[in-house]
Each structure stands twice: as C-alpha cells, then as structure tokens.
Amino acid sequence: MQQSLVGEGPARPRIERQAVTRVFDGITCYEVPARAALERVPEAAELPFTWGASPYRGCEAGCGYCTARRGHRYLGLDPGCDFSTKIVVKTDLARRLRRELDSPRWSGEPVALGLTGDCYQPAEEIYRLMPGVIRTLADAANPFTVLTKSPLVLRDLDLLREAAKVTQVGALVSVGFVDDRLRRAVEPGAATPQRRLEVCATLNEAGIPCGVLMAPILPLIADSTDHLLATVRRAAEAGAVSVTPVVLRLPAGAREWYMGWLEREHPGLVPRYQALYGRGQVAEDGYRRRIAEQVRALAETYGIGRDARRWRRRRSPARQLALV
C-alpha cells in the first residue's frame, strides 16, 4: 500500500489546517485529535441510543443515502463525492473516551459506535482504533453496541467476547434490503447483504447478540411487501435477535446526493418523493407508522426476538472462589 503526505495550501479545505493529511490508495485521511468522544444522537435518527462515539467521519462504503454526509459540509468538504474519499480519523479517540467515561458527570448510558462513518470501514485496517475503543469501554464496564456493515468486525470478536464478561455488548448489522442489484447502486462500497447477514450469524453464534438494523428502507424502491418480507425472513435465518426498521431520512447533504441519484435512475419517482417528504427530512408520519407495523408483524411471524439472549454479568474466578 502506497502512502504519501499532502502539504497544506490556502485553497484547501478547513480541515487540512488542523490535520495531518495522508493518502492511502486514493483515499485521503485527515488525522485529528478528538474534540469530544461522546456525542448525542439526534432524536430524528430514530435509533434506540442517546449517545454515540465514532472513530471516523466519512465512509468508504459511499452509501448514497447516508445521513452523516452533512457533517462534511462543516469541514469545508463536499458531502457528495468527498464523503467516501476523504475520511476524518480521530486518532486519539480511545484516550479521549476514557477521560469522558471517568468523569463523575457520566452516568454510564449505552454507547453506539459508528454513527458518523462505519467504524470497521477499510481505514480501520490501517489505523486499528477499535480495539482501543472496545478495551476502554470494557474497562469502564460501559454498555455499548457496534453498528456496522463490515465483516472486519469479526477481527475483534475475541475483544468483544472479553468485554461481554463485564458489560452488555451488542451489535447491529445494517441491512435495509437484500437485493444486491440495489446494493450496487446505492451502497457501492459496502459488503453484500448476504455477507452482512453471515456476520450477524457469526456474532450470535459467538455469544454477541446481534440484530439487524433495517436502515434505510427506501420508499417506493425497497418498501414493497415482498422486499420487507424477504429482508425480515433472511434476518431471522441469520439468527438476528432484533430487527429495527428505519425509513430513509433526507437531511441536507444526503438529500441532494440521493435525490440526484433518484432523478438519474428513477425520474418518475421524484414527484412522489417530493410529496412524501415535503420540505422536511423525514417521510410523513402515516407512512412511517405503516412500515414500522409491517416490519413488527413480520418479525413476530418469523419469531425474531423470542429467543434473544439476555446479558448476565459473568462471575469472575475470584468471586467464584470466594463463594466456595
């Protein structure tokens, strides 16, 4: 793998004035210290988490709908093509996270990992930030959930199992649909849905409860009864402990990129999207409720969640000896 350093210049993005900039096989990485490790998850995200932490901002998967695209605007980057080719790397995230978890103001709430960019994207093969993050959360006995589309999470399976001895550890694999032709169109750099479901099965077999985040469900493209049924059925076959539907959101940044794709590939759907979303970033309430109810009913039909493994703190050898 070739590596080169890129110098600073007055016409370059703001992020380059505070970052060490490196290029790896055409991907620009901006190495920066983390200003904060723990960040609030917006309510509009409709995720079951209040706090998140992410080693990376930007993602090589290049998903056309990704709501994290808007963050690149604040860095002076293009939320379109730059999002998948210019990645911000928080090189000291584990150290910063340890300090924040040790604060008396921190109440120990669960933390989601990987909201502003997949925490197991290819850059993680270079920087290896996640082992330090996992160990830090385990040392604090702080519950956490890994969100990913990447099989690279299996590299850290032993660390996740060790952490699960002292706190609640889980994973959510994002699979909004199982049509691989659609994946190639809107998730060009992501693993196939089948491979992600295999990751879900492997994690569950290893004792790490893993669910499927059905995100996003694309209106009028992947929301038919057949699409939803196929995705939930495949999640059940993979042993998913839960399935959480999230309908496509279109905040600024993601909206322009996704709607541009829609105009090119499905121009007839543009007026219907405009009616469904109006000027907001979320689809109208009735539609979202209908999708949520359909997925809930399908999950019940396929038995998802009935045998979900409940976490229990394992007794340490020292404690077992003390009880003898």
Side-chain angles (χ1 to χ4, degrees), residues 121-292:
Q121 63 181 286
E124 172 63 13
E125 296 188 65
I126 299 168
Y127 288 98
R128 298 184 66 89
L129 299 180
M130 282 300 292
V133 170
I134 293 170
R135 290 189 186 99
T136 297
L137 288 159
D139 289 346
N142 201 101
F144 66 93
T145 298
V146 176
L147 280 63
T148 187
K149 288 184 173 79
S150 174
L152 185 59
V153 64
L154 300 180
R155 180 200 67 189
D156 293 339
L157 184 54
D158 287 344
L159 285 175
L160 293 171
R161 296 178 71 178
E162 285 299 309
K165 295 178 182 179
V166 296
T167 192
Q168 187 167 5
V169 176
L172 285 173
V173 174
S174 178
V175 185
F177 44 83
V178 292
D179 184 338
D180 197 50
R181 290 175 299 177
L182 182 56
R183 190 274 308 173
R184 290 194 295 270
V186 296
E187 302 173 340
T192 66
Q194 175 60 29
R195 185 69 184 97
R196 290 178 237 166
L197 292 167
E198 290 170 0
V199 169
C200 177
T202 300
L203 288 169
N204 278 307
E205 289 169 2
I208 303 299
C210 183
V212 165
L213 190 63
M214 277 182 69
I217 294 172
L218 304 178
L220 312 174
I221 295 174
D223 63 346
S224 69
T225 299
D226 286 345
H227 267 290
L228 298 179
L229 187 151
T231 305
V232 173
R233 176 176 58 79
R234 297 272 292 278
E237 290 171 352
V241 299
S242 64
V243 59
T244 305
V246 179
V247 172
L248 173 74
R249 288 174 53 229
L250 293 175
R255 189 184 188 101
E256 295 87 341
W257 192 252
Y258 181 82
M259 291 301 291
W261 171 79
L262 197 70
E263 289 173 1
R264 293 190 303 273
E265 302 297 328
H266 303 282
L269 296 181
V270 172
R272 298 174 68 183
Y273 264 76
Q274 292 171 337
L276 186 61
Y277 284 86
R279 296 183 179 180
Q281 63 175 280
V282 297
E284 63 97 11
D285 289 347
Y287 174 83
R288 298 197 336 269
R289 285 196 299 270
R290 177 170 63 81
I291 293 296

